[in-house]
């Protein structure tokens, strides 16, 4: 009997250790060391796993493990609860209002996304600003052929052939003072967009992914982007794209700082998981975001399937004024 209890205890510890490691990765104020970014991304799923493990540990009187899982589960609840708390007013803003802008972002997977689906979503979702990552020349042309220019006639594109480095920005209104993030591996163009008489700088975001050998590059590019957007203290900003990071990454929260908010978290409908899509594995991670100023209410934040790519599109209504 003692042997059986020992084996069960060992199994329980082995199953619990990944959950405890995710909690540790989430609580640390940095994430540029492997495997911290890889672990922190699974915080929502570790939250789900922690509860039954805590119950089993409690009833089997594994007091040390119970304590560790209890603290971890309390932390998970604290971190995840805001994603399910709707704002004071959860009424969807009207995208037709002059002071609102409907923003959509999609990663086109080396330009393999279905252009007609993207254009159809732009039309059906009343999208006024579109951010595209992994834009190739062929995909840019496919979007034009599918009628995107009729819906969003103004654009600033930096396509790239056979690499994920290309990006593009489309808008219903003129794009002014176009810029591009310097030093980033992938193009991150930005421009001023008129929203009801207010100039808003919209930036397409796509840092290098946190691959084990490139975690420092990922962290550095997010930090440089944060420095750039926070240095402009006068212009309202919206950031939209594949951040290759979830809210549970310290690098992403550092980018937000006290100035910006993640639209999905503010809307309170749960994390908008966007990757990986279109495979046997369902979308697990919320890597795509619309980031807004903290005084910009958001509504109707939804993710939508786009055939041909491994990311779901993310759409949000942002109230500028």
């Amino acid at each position: 009997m003692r042997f059986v209890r020992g084996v069960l205890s060992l199994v329980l510890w082995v199953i619990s250790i990944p959950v405890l490691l995710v909690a540790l990765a989430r609580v640390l104020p940095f994430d540029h060391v492997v495997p911290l970014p890889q672990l922190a991304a699974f915080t929502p799923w570790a939250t789900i796993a922690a509860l039954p493990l805590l119950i089993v540990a409690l009833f089997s009187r594994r007091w040390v493990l119970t304590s560790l899982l209890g603290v971890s589960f309390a932390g998970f609840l604290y971190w995840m609860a805001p994603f399910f708390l709707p704002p004071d007013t959860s009424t969807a803003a009207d995208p037709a209002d002059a002071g609102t802008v409907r923003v959509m972002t999609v990663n086109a997977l080396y330009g393999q996304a279905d252009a007609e689906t993207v254009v159809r979503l732009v039309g059906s979702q009343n999208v006024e600003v579109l951010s595209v990552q992994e834009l190739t020349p062929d995909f840019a042309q496919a979007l034009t052929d599918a009628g995107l220019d009729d819906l969003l006639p103004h654009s600033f594109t930096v396509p790239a052939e056979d690499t994920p480095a290309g990006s593009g920005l489309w808008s219903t209104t003129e794009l002014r003072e176009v810029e591009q993030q310097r030093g980033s591996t992938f193009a991150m163009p930005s421009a001023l967009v008129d929203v009801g008489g207010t100039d808003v700088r919209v930036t397409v975001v796509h840092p290098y992914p946190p691959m084990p050998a490139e975690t420092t590059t990922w962290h550095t590019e997010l930090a440089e982007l944060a420095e750039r957007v926070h240095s402009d203290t006068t212009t309202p900003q919206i950031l939209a794209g594949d951040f290759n990071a979830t809210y549970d990454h310290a690098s992403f929260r550092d980018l937000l700082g006290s100035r910006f908010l993640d639209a999905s978290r503010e809307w309170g409908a749960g994390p908008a998981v966007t990757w990986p899509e279109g495979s046997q594995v369902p979308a697990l991670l919320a890597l795509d975001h619309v980031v807004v100023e903290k005084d910009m209410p958001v509504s109707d934040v939804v993710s939508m399937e786009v055939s041909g790519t491994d990311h779901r599109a993310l759409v949000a209504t942002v109230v500028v004024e």
Side-chain angles (χ1 to χ4, degrees), residues 94-145:
D94 185 355
D97 290 345
T100 69
V101 60
R102 187 74 164 154
V103 180
M104 173 173 157
T105 178
V106 61
N107 182 312
L109 185 62
Y110 289 81
Q112 297 181 62
D114 183 71
E116 292 186 356
T117 301
V118 173
V119 175
R120 184 167 61 250
L121 287 178
V122 168
S124 66
Q125 294 297 312
N126 301 307
V127 171
E128 298 162 279
V129 173
L130 172 66
S131 165
V132 177
Q133 306 86 55
E134 302 199 16
L135 178 71
T136 63
D138 287 346
F139 187 64
Q141 184 60 51
L143 289 172
T144 296
D145 294 343

Side-chain angles (χ1 to χ4, degrees), residues 7-321:
V7 171
L8 292 177
S9 179
L10 176 62
V11 170
L12 185 58
W13 270 99
V14 169
I15 297 174
S16 299
I17 284 175
V19 173
L20 298 175
L21 289 176
V22 171
L24 176 62
R26 177 57 174 83
V27 77
L28 290 175
F30 58 89
D31 57 8
H32 59 283
V33 179
V34 175
L36 296 182
Q38 291 77 22
L39 289 171
F42 287 93
T43 294
W45 304 107
T47 305
I48 297 173
L51 181 57
L53 290 172
L54 173 60
I55 294 173
V56 173
L58 177 63
F59 280 95
S60 62
R61 298 182 181 182
R62 308 298 175 187
W63 303 124
V64 174
L65 184 57
T66 297
S67 298
L68 292 174
L69 287 171
V71 171
S72 297
F73 185 62
F76 287 142
L77 289 180
Y78 175 77
W79 297 322
M80 294 303 302
F83 282 99
F84 299 92
L85 299 176
D88 295 336
T89 172
S90 57
T91 303
D94 185 355
D97 290 345
T100 69
V101 60
R102 187 74 164 154
V103 180
M104 173 173 157
T105 178
V106 61
N107 182 312
L109 185 62
Y110 289 81
Q112 297 181 62
D114 183 71
E116 292 186 356
T117 301
V118 173
V119 175
R120 184 167 61 250
L121 287 178
V122 168
S124 66
Q125 294 297 312
N126 301 307
V127 171
E128 298 162 279
V129 173
L130 172 66
S131 165
V132 177
Q133 306 86 55
E134 302 199 16
L135 178 71
T136 63
D138 287 346
F139 187 64
Q141 184 60 51
L143 289 172
T144 296
D145 294 343
L148 182 61
D149 293 348
D150 296 331
L151 299 172
L152 305 176
H154 304 278
S155 63
F156 172 38
T157 63
V158 187
E161 191 75 61
D162 299 326
T163 77
S167 294
L169 180 64
W170 282 260
S171 172
T172 56
T173 60
E174 181 184 4
L175 299 176
R176 296 179 290 107
E177 297 185 23
V178 295
E179 297 178 358
Q180 186 175 329
Q181 172 81 4
R182 296 181 179 178
S184 60
T185 306
F186 304 151
M188 291 198 260
S190 73
L192 290 181
V193 175
D194 184 302
V195 181
T198 298
D199 285 338
V200 178
R201 179 161 292 280
V202 180
T203 300
V204 180
V205 176
H206 194 202
Y208 202 86
M211 306 298 289
E214 300 291 349
T215 300
T216 300
T217 301
W218 165 77
H219 170 76
T220 299
E221 293 192 358
L222 281 174
E224 290 176 347
L225 176 63
E227 181 180 359
R228 169 189 166 186
V229 298
H230 282 277
S231 65
D232 185 350
T233 59
T234 58
T235 307
Q237 298 186 57
I238 296 173
L239 316 177
D242 173 11
F243 287 70
N244 275 311
T246 72
Y247 187 88
D248 297 300
H249 287 107
S251 295
F252 179 74
R253 299 194 303 277
D254 288 343
L255 169 64
L256 298 179
S258 60
R259 175 176 174 178
F260 297 105
L261 300 174
D262 177 21
S264 296
R265 191 169 186 262
E266 290 308 301
W267 182 231
V273 292
T274 58
W275 182 89
E277 180 66 27
S279 66
Q280 294 182 347
V281 178
L284 296 174
L285 306 180
L287 300 184
D288 302 83
H289 305 270
V290 174
V291 169
V292 302
E293 302 274 358
K294 65 179 180 181
D295 59 354
M296 292 181 179
V298 299
S299 69
D300 198 17
V301 183
V302 293
S303 64
M304 297 182 174
E305 184 178 355
V306 177
S307 59
T309 177
D310 59 347
H311 284 254
R312 295 177 69 88
L314 187 68
V315 190
T317 298
V318 182
V319 181
V320 174
E321 59 176 20

